[in-house]
């Protein structure tokens, strides 16, 4: 089979070259369109159920909310873990799923079970948005140079304007808001007046709710038309709330303003968001109360496309939608991290390609042979990009950084070097160049094929990894396997064809003095090692023991992932529930 493929490529050279060029063009397009991530998304597939019941103790929340939800969710297919915790007024239930199903189907199943849960009156569980920790792609604050817009006004703008526009960007599922006081209408009741009039808080609350509604009627005829009738009762401002009638005694109405003060004010705050700006002159400007937000990416979506949409939306907000003097200012942008990642990867790839090409030229001693072998690198890289694009696997720093160009060009080096040796052999002068190339290719075709196949097979255990380990290393294994497959195709099919075109007039094998020197020293070293077998075996065993000790003994450090600093810091401090806000 291998022999027939090699013969086919040499008999159809222009077809092979055309196919190779087509693969290169396709690979270049795929490489340009391939999504790039800083790190793989290792988060589990999960569904978050959040239930609020204000003013209720954690024990009651656990008994009447968390446990009924757990019972209803038990038995959902593909659930690996079910975790919950109950706080004062809050229940949070997380369902962790395996990787066999898409999270969309998981959310559908959870939604079906939620409709079957019976909870206390007024308690409605909500399903959290579908995002992962690596989905925090855009951190921003609202900046105002307009004195008419203070922090409370900025908070209202974020809640009603910015968040709505950000959610309109494809694949942005939510915006997490931080900082700033939330505006609310406050009715500050005087307890003494409440007692004097014989009222309760429930009566006042009920009257406020009853008087804040519209009522619909029928219609009246006016000529040839009919006019719909409705009664507008929704409050529009503070004065409407203050004039709301609570009760009537002796024909005299008692209004809310008679027993309370009605005003707009900030909601009780539980936290604060601050930002420090480091100017170029070294001065640090602290702003201890700012309005901020985080755009959250849908799990599994392409961050590049979403960031491009966010940048366009921010430009539209700053130039056309937000009031004068109010701007959206980013302080952590995932596109910067992707830029650093892409720069690091391309820098490493370029250095590796240049180093491999220089070494190939020095040791092969033939410009045409080194050129053919060097073409293996872009061919294999673009071939891998095409396969990754077809399989829907994004590139990342870990997967692209795992490419070993020495391993990629190994098969092509053996193939081209053997062809050069046969072309320069004088004893076969009666054979045509095509026959010599065919004979040289057949001579090493099986070793080249099995050598690369064995390396690919060595990566198969990585594909058995599950959950976090699998999400982390599967892209790397696929990338290396695709690149080696591309190198195999080039070595077996394309390299002989290029050799037949570049070596038509023959080639003279160059005796590399460095290689001759290394051969002599290697021959002496092998002879000495065989003559001193016990010393050689003892040294090898000692080296193995030392290597194992250095690996597992903690003598040398290790990193789980490559270091990458995006130049931004986001810190969050959490206090106990008991301290009040001014502390």
């Amino acid at each position: 089979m291998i022999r027939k493929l090699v013969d086919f490529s040499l008999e159809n050279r222009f077809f092979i070259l055309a196919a190779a060029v087509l693969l290169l063009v396709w690979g270049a397009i795929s490489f340009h369109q391939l999504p790039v991530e800083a790190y793989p998304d290792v988060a589990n597939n999960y569904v978050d159920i959040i239930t609020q019941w204000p003013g209720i103790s954690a024990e009651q929340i656990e008994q009447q909310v968390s446990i009924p939800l757990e019972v209803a969710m038990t038995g959902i297919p593909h659930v690996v873990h079910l975790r919950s915790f109950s706080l004062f007024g809050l229940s949070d239930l997380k369902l962790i799923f395996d990787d066999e199903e898409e999270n969309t189907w998981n959310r559908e199943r959870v939604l079906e079970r939620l409709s079957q849960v019976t909870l206390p009156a007024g308690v409605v569980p909500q399903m959290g948005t579908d995002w992962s920790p690596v989905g925090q792609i855009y951190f921003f604050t609202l900046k105002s140079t307009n004195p008419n817009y203070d922090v409370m006004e900025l908070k209202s703008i974020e809640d009603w304007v910015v968040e709505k526009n950000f959610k309109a960007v494809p694949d942005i599922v939510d915006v997490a808001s931080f900082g700033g006081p939330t505006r609310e209408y406050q009715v500050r009741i005087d307890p003494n007046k409440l007692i004097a009039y014989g009222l309760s808080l429930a009566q006042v609350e009920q009257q406020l709710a009853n008087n804040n509604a519209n009522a619909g009627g029928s219609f009246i005829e006016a000529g040839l038309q009919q006019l719909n009738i409705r009664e507008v009762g929704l409050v529009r401002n503070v004065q409407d709330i203050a004039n709301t009638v609570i009760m009537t005694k002796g024909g005299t109405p008692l209004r809310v303003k008679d027993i309370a003060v009605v005003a707009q004010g900030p909601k009780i705050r539980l936290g604060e968001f601050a930002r420090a700006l480091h100017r170029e002159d070294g001065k640090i400007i602290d702003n201890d109360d700012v309005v901020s937000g985080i755009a959250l990416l849908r799990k599994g979506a392409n961050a590049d496309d979403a960031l491009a949409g966010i940048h366009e939306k921010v430009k539209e907000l700053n130039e056309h939608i937000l009031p004068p003097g109010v701007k959206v200012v980013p302080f952590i942008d995932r596109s910067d991290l992707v830029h650093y990642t892409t720069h690091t990867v391309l820098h490493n790839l370029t250095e590796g390609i240049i180093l491999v090409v220089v070494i190939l030229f020095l040791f092969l001693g033939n410009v045409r042979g080194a050129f053919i072998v060097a073409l293996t690198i872009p061919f294999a890289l673009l071939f891998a990009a095409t396969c990754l694009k077809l399989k829907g696997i994004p590139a990342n720093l870990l997967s692209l950084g795992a490419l070993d160009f020495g391993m990629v060009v190994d098969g092509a080096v053996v193939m081209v070097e053997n062809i050069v040796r046969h072309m320069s052999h004088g004893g076969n002068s009666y054979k045509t160049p095509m026959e010599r190339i065919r004979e040289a290719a057949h001579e090493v075709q099986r070793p080249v094929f099995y050598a690369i196949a064995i390396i690919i097979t060595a990566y198969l255990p990585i594909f058995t990894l599950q959950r976090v380990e699998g999400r982390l290393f599967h892209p790397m294994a696929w990338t290396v396997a695709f690149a080696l497959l591309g190198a195999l195709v080039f070595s077996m099919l394309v390299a002989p064809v290029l050799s037949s075109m570049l070596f038509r007039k023959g080639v003279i094998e160059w005796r590399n003095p460095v290689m001759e020197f290394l051969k002599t020293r290697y021959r002496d070293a092998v002879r000495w090692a065989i003559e001193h077998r016990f010393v050689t075996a003892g040294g090898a065993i000692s080296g193995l023991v030392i290597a194992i000790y250095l690996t597992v003994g903690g003598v040398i450090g290790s990193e789980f992932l490559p270091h990458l600093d995006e130049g931004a810091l986001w810190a969050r401090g959490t206090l106990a529930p008991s301290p009040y806000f001014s502390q």
Side-chain angles (χ1 to χ4, degrees):
M1 182 65 182
I2 302 175
R3 186 183 188 91
K4 292 180 180 179
L5 288 176
V6 175
D7 290 338
F8 175 82
S9 65
L10 291 174
E11 293 170 359
N12 301 272
R13 292 182 295 173
F14 291 103
F15 172 77
I16 294 296
L17 286 180
V21 172
L22 180 62
L23 285 175
L24 286 174
V25 174
W26 190 8
I29 297 174
S30 300
F31 187 80
H32 178 72
Q33 298 177 347
L34 188 65
V36 179
E37 297 177 345
Y39 293 124
D41 185 1
V42 299
N44 292 310
N45 290 330
Y46 75 96
V47 176
D48 196 12
I49 302 175
I50 302 171
T51 309
Q52 296 185 17
W53 196 4
I56 306 302
S57 66
E59 181 181 5
Q60 190 174 349
I61 290 284
E62 176 74 16
Q63 294 174 349
Q64 301 186 28
V65 178
S66 297
I67 293 179
L69 285 174
E70 291 180 7
V71 172
M73 297 302 154
T74 301
I76 294 181
H78 303 288
V79 172
V80 179
H81 299 290
L82 194 153
R83 303 166 183 168
S84 68
F85 65 89
S86 302
L87 300 175
F88 180 78
L90 177 67
S91 169
D92 188 9
L93 182 71
K94 281 187 172 61
L95 291 90
I96 310 298
F97 293 84
D98 57 26
D99 298 333
E100 296 182 9
E101 286 283 353
E102 293 185 1
N103 219 32
T104 304
W105 289 106
N106 298 334
R107 296 172 65 85
E108 289 289 340
R109 293 189 177 98
V110 171
L111 197 59
E112 292 175 359
R113 295 294 184 96
L114 279 179
S115 62
Q116 305 172 8
V117 180
T118 301
L119 296 177
V123 179
V124 180
Q126 296 180 343
M127 195 161 53
T129 52
D130 184 20
W131 64 282
S132 68
V134 298
Q136 300 177 352
I137 61 174
Y138 194 84
F139 295 64
F140 66 92
T141 58
L142 287 183
K143 179 182 177 182
S144 174
T145 56
N146 190 335
N148 295 326
Y149 294 93
D150 56 7
V151 181
M152 186 181 295
E153 292 289 343
L154 293 179
K155 178 64 174 177
S156 300
I157 291 175
E158 179 175 7
D159 292 340
W160 300 102
V161 179
V162 176
E163 185 172 338
K164 179 186 69 173
N165 281 271
F166 268 63
K167 287 183 177 180
V169 177
D171 292 327
I172 298 299
V173 295
D174 201 2
V175 177
S177 300
F178 298 92
T182 302
R183 183 191 306 276
E184 65 179 6
Y185 290 97
Q186 298 177 348
V187 180
R188 304 164 190 164
I189 299 177
D190 187 340
N192 297 323
K193 294 182 179 180
L194 196 67
I195 295 174
Y197 287 106
L199 297 173
S200 65
L201 286 176
Q203 289 177 294
V204 177
E205 183 179 358
Q206 184 64 40
Q207 285 301 110
L208 287 173
N210 293 339
N211 284 271
N212 185 29
N214 290 339
S218 184
F219 63 89
I220 59 175
E221 294 182 356
L224 299 178
Q225 295 180 336
Q226 65 179 25
L227 302 178
N228 294 324
I229 300 174
R230 69 184 182 118
E231 175 64 27
V232 179
L234 289 177
V235 297
R236 291 168 293 181
N237 48 46
V238 172
Q239 192 66 29
D240 289 345
I241 300 176
N243 292 329
T244 300
V245 177
I246 302 175
M247 58 181 293
T248 303
K249 279 191 176 182
T252 302
L254 177 66
R255 306 179 186 274
V256 172
K257 63 182 179 181
D258 297 329
I259 63 171
V261 176
V262 183
Q264 290 187 13
K267 189 177 181 179
I268 297 176
R269 302 185 64 177
L270 301 177
E272 193 173 70
F273 196 94
R275 180 178 181 181
L277 179 63
H278 293 250
R279 299 198 318 189
E280 295 182 356
D281 58 1
K283 186 178 180 180
I284 300 177
I285 301 177
D286 289 326
N287 192 342
D288 58 358
D289 194 4
V290 297
V291 177
S292 177
I294 305 175
L296 304 178
L297 179 70
R298 179 176 58 84
K299 182 174 175 60
N302 185 2
D304 293 341
D305 296 339
L307 284 168
I310 288 177
H311 295 158
E312 294 179 1
K313 183 60 68 174
V314 169
K315 183 178 179 180
E316 181 184 357
L317 284 168
N318 290 338
E319 296 180 356
H320 304 292
I321 299 178
L322 294 179
V326 179
K327 302 291 183 182
V328 175
V329 181
F331 65 94
I332 297 181
D333 191 340
R334 176 66 61 81
S335 58
D336 296 332
L337 181 60
V338 173
H339 170 72
Y340 293 141
T341 302
T342 306
H343 178 268
T344 301
V345 169
L346 293 179
H347 178 74
N348 294 340
L349 292 178
T350 303
E351 287 185 347
I353 291 173
I354 294 175
L355 180 62
V356 170
V357 170
V358 170
I359 293 176
L360 286 174
F361 175 74
L362 291 178
F363 282 89
L364 289 178
N366 187 286
V367 177
R368 291 172 292 176
F371 173 75
I372 294 174
V373 175
L375 286 179
T376 312
I377 298 175
F379 186 90
L381 181 61
L382 297 179
F383 185 88
T386 302
C387 296
L388 291 175
K389 185 69 168 58
L390 292 175
K391 195 169 178 57
I393 301 175
N396 58 71
L397 180 63
L398 190 63
S399 61
L400 294 180
L403 288 177
D404 185 353
F405 293 125
M407 184 170 56
V408 168
V409 302
D410 186 30
V413 168
V414 174
M415 180 65 72
V416 174
E417 194 276 334
N418 197 52
I419 290 175
V420 170
R421 184 175 65 85
H422 274 257
M423 293 294 292
S424 62
H425 199 279
N428 293 335
S429 58
Y430 61 90
K431 294 183 179 180
T432 63
M434 181 63 70
E435 292 175 344
R436 297 181 192 177
I437 292 175
R438 189 188 305 271
E439 181 182 355
H442 288 328
E443 189 175 289
V444 297
Q445 61 187 8
R446 292 174 63 85
V448 169
F449 176 83
Y450 286 111
I452 298 179
I454 289 172
I455 298 176
I456 296 176
T457 305
Y459 281 86
L460 292 181
I462 297 180
F463 293 104
T464 64
L465 298 176
Q466 301 294 322
R467 302 186 63 74
V468 175
E469 299 86 353
R471 302 185 198 105
L472 185 64
F473 292 110
H474 281 174
M476 179 200 70
W478 281 116
T479 303
V480 175
F482 289 145
L484 290 175
L485 183 60
L488 177 61
V489 172
F490 187 90
S491 302
M492 301 295 296
L493 303 180
V494 183
V497 172
L498 292 176
S499 299
S500 67
M501 293 182 173
L502 297 180
F503 298 149
R504 287 179 296 179
K505 297 181 180 180
V507 63
I508 300 176
E509 186 178 6
W510 177 58
R511 296 292 181 178
N512 192 328
V514 177
M515 289 300 300
E516 295 298 327
F517 173 78
L518 293 177
K519 285 180 182 179
T520 303
R521 293 294 178 266
Y522 175 70
R523 188 180 296 111
D524 296 339
V526 171
R527 185 181 298 110
W528 185 90
I530 294 175
E531 293 175 355
H532 303 80
R533 294 187 296 273
F534 295 104
V535 176
T536 304
I541 295 174
S542 301
L544 178 62
V545 173
I546 294 174
I548 294 175
Y549 173 72
L550 292 176
T551 302
V552 301
V555 179
I556 58 176
S558 62
E559 290 186 354
F560 186 60
L561 288 174
H563 175 72
L564 187 63
D565 185 7
E566 60 180 311
L569 180 65
W570 188 66
R572 179 175 181 177
T574 303
L575 300 178
S578 55
Y580 52 90
F581 176 72
S582 60
Q583 285 185 316

